[in-house]
């Protein structure tokens, strides 16, 4: 397999016409699998990505995000499975023949070239005329707010500016698909927030298909049309941010995206409009309708922001306020429930000022309660 530097420096072949490049075509991955010895890095990953879509692989370190991206880019060879761009099978093609743009955490700018030369490089490889190159380099620098920096060397730029240039170099030849692996990982929070907005704006403006890798939930939610939540080489759920948050398909997704509270219990009644759960530590909770049989053992998952304080007799349970933490516009409250070994986490607008030791009830809308079967776990 080729390494990234070699590919960046080698001539482009077979990427001439937009049709060949697959512009406006969807990308699909079918049963992609990759092992390293005993380690299954990626296990049967499948997904369809629409043209113009911003898709993020989200998962903890080691969950297989980079490996999946590297197989799509052509830097890692899959054990099995196929990668298709439009109707073109690219699984065994060399990276430079796939015509994909990529941006990685390490900037990988050519240190001996100026900013302008760095950005011009992919255009020169493609035989774009000098005049066109100059114009497109200027336009691209303008998009990322670096007009006037073309004559500087990478070492004369800050980390954030270098990352912007790397972004320019990946975008300048308008590749149909741009792959980004934690491109903002090395930057501080403020700069990261700012560049997230820019990346999203550029992606929309140019209609790019982007596949983005991050371990940061918030970043994934801000950027993505859809997110593939990865765990141990498997895609747990591939969905819109809203669906992942509102309708997680696994406890892992509920926990990873919103840090849900899990309350064990047993299904007491199932009806068209709701499912009633008798909680282990006491109380009956109304959940949205689920297809569980009466008596089924379940965990009820509720996001901290979807729990509301109420008078003790109004709630599905009561508890004692143990911790109160103000986080700017929000207040986070840890509630001690009798019979539950961990604190129930509630998040509310900071206008609420509960006092430690106070006894309160909690309630939730049925539609905000997701149930997961725990039988056999
Ligand atoms: P992520 O990007 O989500 O942090 P990776 O795709 O880098 O995860 O890694 C997935 C798994 O594959 C990990 O267990 C990692 O140690 C292993 N792995 C990745 N690359 C290699 C490699 N070149 N050789 C051996 N194991 C690897
Ligand atoms: Mg990685």
């Amino acid at each position: 397999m080729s390494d990234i530097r070699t590919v960046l420096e080698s001539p482009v072949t077979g990427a001439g016409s937009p049709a060949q490049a697959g512009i406006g075509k969807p990308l699909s991955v079918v049963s992609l699998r990759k092992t390293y010895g005993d380690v299954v890095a990626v296990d049967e990953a499948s997904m369809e990505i629409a043209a113009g879509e911003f898709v993020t692989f989200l998962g903890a370190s080691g969950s297989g995000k980079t490996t999946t991206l590297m197989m799509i880019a052509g830097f890692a060879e899959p054990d099995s499975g196929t990668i298709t761009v439009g109707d073109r099978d690219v699984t065994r093609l060399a990276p430079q023949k796939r015509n994909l743009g990529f941006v990685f955490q390490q900037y990988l700018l050519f240190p001996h070239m100026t900013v302008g030369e760095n950005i011009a490089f992919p255009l020169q490889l493609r035989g774009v005329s000098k005049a066109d190159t100059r114009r497109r380099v200027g336009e691209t620098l303008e998009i990322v707010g670096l007009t006037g920096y073309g004559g500087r060397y990478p070492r004369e730029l800050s980390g954030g500016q270098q990352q912007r240039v790397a972004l320019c170099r990946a975008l300048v030849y308008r590749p149909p698909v741009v792959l980004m692996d934690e491109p903002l990982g090395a930057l501080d929070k403020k700069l990261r927030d700012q560049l997230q907005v820019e990346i999203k704006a550029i992606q929309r403006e140019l209609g790019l298909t982007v596949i983005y890798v991050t371990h940061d939930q918030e970043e994934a939610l801000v950027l993505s049309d859809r997110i593939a939540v990865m765990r141990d080489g498997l895609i747990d759920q591939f969905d819109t941010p809203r669906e992942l948050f509102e309708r997680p398909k696994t406890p892992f997704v509920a926990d990873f995206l919103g840090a849900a509270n899990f309350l064990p219990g047993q299904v007491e009644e199932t009806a068209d409009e709701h499912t009633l759960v008798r909680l282990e530590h006491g109380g009956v909770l109304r959940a949205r309708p689920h297809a569980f049989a009466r008596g089924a053992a379940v965990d009820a998952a509720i996001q901290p922001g979807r729990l509301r304080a109420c008078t003790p007799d109004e709630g599905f349970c009561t508890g004692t306020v143990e911790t109160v933490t103000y986080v700017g516009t929000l207040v986070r409250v840890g509630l001690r429930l009798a019979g539950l070994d961990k604190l129930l986490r509630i998040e509310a607008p900071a206008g609420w000022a509960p006092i430690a030791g106070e006894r309160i009830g909690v309630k939730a809308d049925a539609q905000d309660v997701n149930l997961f079967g725990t039988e056999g776990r």
Side-chain angles (χ1 to χ4, degrees):
M1 286 269 111
S2 353
D3 87 352
I4 293 161
R5 176 72 69 174
T6 322
V7 169
L8 281 172
E9 291 176 2
S10 68
V12 177
T13 49
S17 72
Q20 262 178 302
I23 286 175
K25 301 254 182 85
L27 186 141
S28 75
V29 162
V30 181
S31 299
L32 215 52
R33 184 179 162 88
K34 175 79 179 170
T35 54
Y36 293 105
D38 291 340
V39 177
V40 182
V42 177
D43 198 358
E44 305 288 325
S46 295
M47 60 175 65
E48 292 266 348
I49 296 170
E53 200 172 19
F54 199 119
V55 164
T56 297
F57 298 164
L58 173 67
S61 175
S63 57
K65 307 180 297 291
T66 295
T67 306
T68 308
L69 202 73
M70 286 302 167
M71 288 192 283
I72 294 173
F75 297 116
E77 196 173 355
D79 298 353
S80 54
T82 53
I83 302 158
T84 318
V85 179
D87 43 20
R88 184 163 164 251
D89 184 341
V90 301
T91 317
R92 306 288 157 192
L93 281 186
Q96 55 271 41
K97 293 189 178 166
R98 301 184 187 198
N99 204 29
L100 308 168
F102 29 84
V103 189
F104 300 102
Q105 185 173 334
Q106 17 1 342
Y107 316 115
L108 285 173
L109 294 175
F110 304 121
H112 58 286
M113 292 184 191
T114 64
V115 165
E117 287 163 355
N118 262 283
I119 301 171
F121 191 74
L123 295 174
Q124 285 164 352
L125 289 182
R126 288 167 175 78
V128 176
S129 75
K130 276 217 170 92
D132 276 349
T133 298
R134 206 173 316 118
R135 180 178 53 78
R136 281 164 70 175
V137 168
E139 283 171 5
T140 313
L141 280 172
E142 196 187 334
I143 290 177
V144 299
L146 285 177
T147 300
Y149 284 74
R152 291 210 195 177
Y153 284 90
R155 63 174 179 277
E156 297 169 325
L157 301 178
S158 71
Q161 289 168 334
Q162 288 185 38
Q163 197 55 300
R164 283 194 171 90
V165 175
L167 197 61
C168 284
R169 198 181 51 189
L171 298 178
V172 72
Y173 60 97
R174 309 282 157 98
V177 181
V178 183
L179 311 177
M180 304 194 197
D181 192 351
E182 314 237 9
L184 310 181
L187 307 176
D188 64 49
K189 167 131 180 66
K190 207 166 161 202
L191 197 55
R192 220 164 51 218
D193 290 349
Q194 193 185 334
L195 279 177
Q196 281 168 13
V197 173
E198 285 175 21
I199 287 174
K200 187 73 193 167
I202 294 168
Q203 180 257 340
R204 286 227 179 96
E205 190 176 318
L206 302 183
L208 300 173
T209 308
V210 173
I211 308 180
Y212 194 94
V213 162
T214 184
H215 63 272
D216 183 310
Q217 295 85 335
E218 195 187 315
E219 182 159 289
L221 292 170
V222 166
L223 288 171
S224 318
D225 295 315
R226 282 192 297 165
I227 300 171
V229 181
M230 297 196 62
R231 176 175 52 142
D232 299 337
L234 290 165
I235 298 173
D236 247 44
Q237 189 170 348
F238 182 38
D239 242 324
T240 62
R242 182 175 290 273
E243 279 297 303
L244 288 169
F245 198 77
E246 306 282 341
R247 297 283 180 265
K249 291 206 169 86
T250 67
F252 177 79
V253 172
D255 186 40
F256 197 69
L257 266 112
N261 293 287
F262 291 93
L263 298 172
Q266 228 184 18
V267 171
E268 183 157 291
E269 181 193 308
T270 54
D272 285 347
E273 65 280 11
H274 64 225
T275 298
L276 288 185
V277 178
R278 178 157 297 279
L279 298 173
E280 229 167 63
H281 68 278
V284 173
L285 176 62
R286 235 159 55 85
R288 64 184 182 83
H290 285 74
F292 284 111
R294 262 193 79 180
V298 292
D299 268 345
I302 316 171
Q303 300 296 344
R306 300 294 167 86
L307 284 170
R308 293 189 313 280
C310 57
T311 60
D313 56 330
E314 272 180 328
F316 67 84
C317 69
T318 55
T320 308
V321 173
E322 193 162 305
T323 59
V324 181
T325 316
Y326 290 93
V327 226
T329 54
L330 291 175
V331 59
R332 296 203 175 110
V333 171
L335 198 68
R336 176 68 62 193
L337 307 185
L340 195 72
D341 56 357
K342 49 189 185 274
L343 293 179
L344 190 72
R345 282 169 287 109
I346 308 175
E347 217 171 77
W352 181 38
I355 304 156
E358 195 180 333
R359 199 154 173 79
I360 60 169
V362 267
K363 58 183 181 181
D365 287 340
Q367 81 234 21
D368 293 332
V369 181
N370 287 290
L371 303 180
F372 298 104
T374 53
E375 223 106 318
R377 272 210 290 134

